[in-house]
Amino acid sequence: MKHLTHPQLWFVCGSQHLYGEGPLAQVADHAAQIAAALDASDAVPLTIVAKGVLTTPEEIRALCRQADAEPSCAGLILWMHTFSPAKMWIGGLSTLHKPFVHLHTQFGRDLPWDSIDMDYMNLNQSAHGDREAGFLHTRLRLNRKVVVGHWADPDVHARLGAWARAAWAWADWQGARFVRFGDNMRNVAVTDGDKVSAEMKFGFSVNTHGIGDLAERIDAATDADVQALIDTYLREYDVAEALRPGGERHGSLIDGARIEVGLRAFLQEGGYRGFTDTFEDLRGLTQLPGLATQRLMADGYGFGGEGDWKTAALVRAMKVMAHGLPGGTSFMEDYTYHLEPGKHQVLGSHMLEVCPTIADGRPRLEVHPLGIGGKDDPVRLVFDAQTGPAINVSLIDLGSRFRLVLNEVDSVEHPPLPQLPVARAVWECRPDFKTACAAWIHAGGAHHTGYSTAVTTEMIEDFAAMAGVELAVIDADTRLREFRQTLQLSDLYHLLAQGLRA
Ligand code: MN
């Protein structure tokens, strides 16, 4: 995956000096054991580093400052083994910018019923030590995740793993650069937005380059690089006869490969983690980038069509969250419906740009007319998507703030689509089509989404909490009346939230 770093999570244990050196040494040993177990867990994708036991306000403050200053630290796991009076944490946590998760666990799993005495009780007292910590986190209005259970419990690892993936994506966004080739598709509202607000809120920047800058880089592609890429295409895909060497459309494949060489070089050299383009602004390009965009997404770049920079950034974040997991993640658009009574379905696709990580089987490489944009027929990968549970996520700009909208869906088998020249997924919405679509539309969710069979609702939930952004979830439990009321209350909450923290 391109431009991906592997940050660490810091495991931080809180205690105090009330208990003497003996118990504190035990606390330190237990904390190190837990950190090592989490580090060894396959469910947690990042390295966990034990940062010892903090027992004074000065130590806590110093560690929080260190965490903020250390680029390789993506977040903190906090646990109070004993009792760490929480006023000691005010100074440190008040200015901490890195996300943290509160792990509410206990070192000893089972009560030693026959031998338990007050020493055991005083050592294993996170039951109330973590409540003291939780009060302060709530008092400070800190948005965090609370994970509860024994530290060896696979469910605890899974909850921490989801949070770690969100923290990874959040770290990836900080300082990330996204490039837009040209502006927004003319007159489209939802793909537009405030890039200054986004950079303040999310930490990534979005800047433009004229399509001519990209065209120059494409023109500079060497024949050797183009040929090497064509060899790759022939190896990895079922390439249509006409596109193969000697075929009557082979020139289209050469043009497509040239676009990929140039676009890839542009992104690599600029350190970009994603991009947008638009079919309305292609001067100097022979085709709308289709195949190139699909393959770049597969390598981890974010993408949004028609200048949709919010979705480009979101797709990148989701790809980071999904890194190493089975399944795939793609830019997606709700395209067309199947409205058979009792079996309402959505056909999701785009003009070209669907990521082959969601493909079921080997994609076909084909060329077809686009119908808009007035350019040559673009080459593209065509495939059906894997079936199974998936999510669609949209990031919108409401003017005064951002909102994430998520719908849990089930990608399903469907009849063959022999005349459809684009990659596609067919899904059914939870709780049902009518409720989900009405809720999505009430929430202002876009037609563009990040679609994933790897990222979970929990990861997006954790991510939204880190970003301090609203998340409206549409799932099996959604009821429209309550959903609409929640949106209204949420408007009020977000209007007041800054004040509540004072
Ligand atoms: Mn679109």
Side-chain angles (χ1 to χ4, degrees), residues 378-401:
V379 287
R380 82 288 303 275
L381 298 173
V382 180
F383 53 83
D384 292 325
Q386 301 144 19
T387 57
I391 56 172
N392 271 310
V393 190
S394 169
L395 176 61
I396 58 164
D397 182 349
L398 289 169
S400 53
R401 62 192 169 84

Side-chain angles (χ1 to χ4, degrees), residues 10 74-78 93 96-103 133 136-138 140 142-146 163 167 466:
W10 290 5
L76 278 60
I77 303 171
L78 302 185
L93 292 181
L96 179 71
H97 289 294
K98 293 283 166 79
F100 75 89
V101 57
H102 184 184
L103 174 60
L136 185 80
H137 303 162
T138 294
L140 292 172
L142 297 177
N143 217 339
R144 77 285 185 189
K145 184 177 200 178
V146 180
W163 181 84
M466 286 171 200

Side-chain angles (χ1 to χ4, degrees), residues 406-428:
L406 181 154
N407 187 200
E408 293 186 355
V409 302
D410 293 284
S411 179
V412 295
E413 300 278 354
H414 55 81
L417 296 155
Q419 298 298 316
L420 190 68
V422 284
R424 59 279 181 147
V426 175
W427 63 76
E428 295 176 353

Side-chain angles (χ1 to χ4, degrees), residues 306 331 333 350 447-448:
E306 295 92 53
F331 171 63
E333 177 165 322
H350 204 253
H447 54 289
H448 286 168

